[in-house]
Amino acid sequence: MRIKSVQAWWVRVPIEVAKQHRSDFGQVTTFDAAILRIETVDGLVGWGEGKNAAGSAGSYGALVHMLNHEIAPQLIGRDPADIGIIWEMLYNGVRHETAAHAGHAMPQLARRGMSVAAISAVDIALWDILGKSLGQPVWRLLGGRKVERMQAYASGGWAPADAIGEQLKSYIAKGGFKALKMRVGAMDGAPHVSAARVRAARQAIGPDVELMVDAHGTYTVAEAKRFIGLTADLDLAWFEEPLIADDKSGMAEVRASGSTPIATGESEATRYAFRDLAVLKSADIFQPDPAFCGGISEAMKIGTIASAFNLRFAPHLWAGAPCFFAGLHVCAASPASFIIEYSLGANPMIHDLVEETVEAKNGMIAIPEKPGLGFTISERFLEAHAQRG
Ligand SMILES: [Mg+2]
């Protein structure tokens, strides 16, 4: 097996006005992603995704250019089954052979951010190819799946206090979810406004539905502590990204200030960043994004760190189909996983980019059975919204 071609596109899908929402990321009018296609000499095709924006909308010209003009030439002619070797080659750059012989990383200077987003896209596509070449779903190559269906949570919740209850209950009606996540933080202006929205949400859904909140990293340490104090009686399942990712010790201080579990990691990349979160006791739940953290390979390593530190693992899957499906396989195979993120905002990059129907039933999502990642890209939809970088 050899890699014949590597092609990335910036896919930008407009979201119709009635389905748009507003958060601290502004009015979300498009869903953007870097979608990668790798084809082997024998005609196998794998799909990957890289991400440089946590929200749906983002600018992907540079990432797509990097994939097409800097990464692609390094992949042509390689055996696509060399997934881990290729990961380390791309991460270590010109010193990759020295690093391989020495047994430790010697990464290039630009070792985070867009570089690892590009590696993520490659890694996801190579796992897709390996699975297809062996006729097996990726989870089987990762050690098997622990369940056939996994609990999912509805991810959304932007409405003000007087409407948040109805918004969350509409998610339950749609997918039978028993766990819901709502947004808080800077979009509300002050912690007490967010706390009032969360209180209204809890009153509307009752005590038996799990409720999580996500601040998108927009609080200071002091604000996050105030929010925890104001919501201490609301039995939150987790408080996500209270602070920016660059304040890991502040995150530990927030975590120690109350009993609300802290979740974080969608803005973090590589095993090294999650090692620091674990050692600093900054979080209870790790949330790597497969399209940003380093792909399926790195997400599995991060899940292992979570397990070793007796923490849990709930990948960030607000994403396009390659990343979302990658997350399903990782969750199926990881001992520390327990729940899947399922976006209730407009998400054409999952629902329209693939031929399959992706849906939650009774709050559960099926782990794919088909070889590879288990989806078929809609070439017609891709062509309609793709531009080459
Ligand atoms: Mg989040």
Side-chain angles (χ1 to χ4, degrees):
M1 241 184 355
R2 295 288 154 191
I3 294 172
K4 183 178 80 176
S5 66
V6 177
Q7 173 73 61
W9 299 271
W10 174 359
V11 182
R12 162 163 280 192
V13 186
I15 297 172
E16 58 186 279
V17 174
K19 292 184 176 176
Q20 293 176 5
H21 69 264
R22 171 168 282 280
S23 74
D24 49 292
F25 294 120
Q27 188 80 9
V28 178
T29 59
T30 60
F31 205 115
D32 294 77
I35 301 294
L36 179 69
R37 181 185 192 274
I38 298 181
E39 184 171 356
T40 69
V41 171
D42 7 21
L44 285 171
V45 173
W47 295 92
E49 177 178 353
K51 186 180 289 182
N52 56 25
S56 318
S59 180
Y60 282 86
L63 178 55
V64 165
H65 185 89
M66 177 188 283
L67 282 162
N68 285 333
H69 300 285
E70 295 179 19
I71 303 288
Q74 301 179 65
L75 300 180
I76 306 298
R78 298 286 310 235
D79 183 339
D82 283 346
I83 301 175
I85 306 300
I86 289 172
W87 200 105
E88 297 295 331
M89 175 190 78
L90 295 174
Y91 185 66
N92 289 298
V94 293
R95 293 185 295 184
H96 70 273
E97 288 179 344
T98 310
H101 289 130
H104 63 89
M106 299 180 190
Q108 52 188 323
L109 204 58
R111 70 193 185 284
R112 293 289 187 277
M114 212 173 287
S115 298
V116 177
I119 295 173
S120 303
V122 172
D123 184 89
I124 292 169
L126 294 183
W127 277 106
D128 193 21
I129 288 174
L130 185 62
K132 287 170 177 169
S133 73
L134 298 171
Q136 298 288 342
V138 169
W139 52 258
R140 194 179 298 284
L141 311 179
L142 299 174
R145 65 175 168 183
K146 58 186 183 183
V147 289
E148 292 180 1
R149 308 177 71 79
M150 186 172 280
Q151 190 191 0
Y153 69 91
S155 185
W158 302 273
D162 60 359
I164 188 70
E166 284 312 306
Q167 187 172 49
L168 296 182
K169 284 197 281 190
S170 76
Y171 301 161
I172 297 173
K174 193 172 182 184
F177 297 98
K178 297 174 181 64
L180 310 165
K181 188 169 86 185
M182 61 180 285
R183 269 59 190 179
V184 297
M187 60 180 251
D188 291 327
H192 75 271
V193 179
S194 289
R197 289 178 56 241
V198 179
R199 190 166 297 280
R202 175 54 86 197
Q203 283 169 354
I205 64 175
D208 297 327
V209 177
E210 297 256 53
L211 181 61
M212 300 86 123
V213 298
D214 185 350
H216 292 168
T218 57
Y219 281 143
T220 63
V221 170
E223 288 170 330
K225 287 181 180 177
R226 280 175 70 196
F227 177 83
I228 285 178
L230 290 167
T231 56
D233 61 330
L234 299 177
D235 192 28
L236 295 179
W238 77 56
F239 179 14
E240 178 172 329
E241 285 201 304
L243 314 177
I244 56 169
D246 286 330
D247 191 4
K248 294 184 177 66
S249 60
M251 202 95 73
E253 185 181 344
V254 170
R255 181 179 181 231
S257 74
S259 59
T260 306
I262 301 299
T264 196
E266 69 183 68
S267 306
E268 300 282 10
T270 77
R271 74 203 84 151
Y272 306 110
F274 285 87
R275 171 207 57 200
D276 292 347
L277 286 171
V279 169
L280 290 168
K281 300 185 184 297
S282 301
D284 298 276
I285 297 149
F286 284 176
Q287 301 178 297
D289 184 311
F292 184 74
C293 78
I296 290 172
S297 302
E298 204 69 1
M300 288 301 293
K301 293 183 172 84
I302 292 162
T304 301
I305 295 174
S307 178
F309 281 81
N310 202 23
L311 305 172
R312 295 197 295 171
F313 178 68
H316 178 252
L317 300 179
W318 187 283
C323 176
F324 180 76
F325 277 72
L328 296 184
H329 291 270
V330 166
C331 283
S334 173
S337 68
F338 64 108
I339 201 163
I340 289 164
E341 179 172 23
Y342 185 77
S343 58
L344 267 287
N347 191 337
M349 208 65 78
I350 286 183
H351 298 294
D352 302 328
L353 183 63
V354 299
E355 305 287 357
E356 289 76 10
T357 302
V358 180
E359 59 182 354
K361 287 179 185 164
N362 297 321
M364 309 285 279
I365 290 189
I367 305 301
E369 303 271 357
K370 288 197 276 190
L373 292 173
F375 62 79
T376 309
I377 288 276
S378 166
E379 306 267 359
R380 180 186 46 77
F381 185 82
L382 183 73
E383 275 175 27
H385 299 287
Q387 55 193 56
R388 195 172 193 276

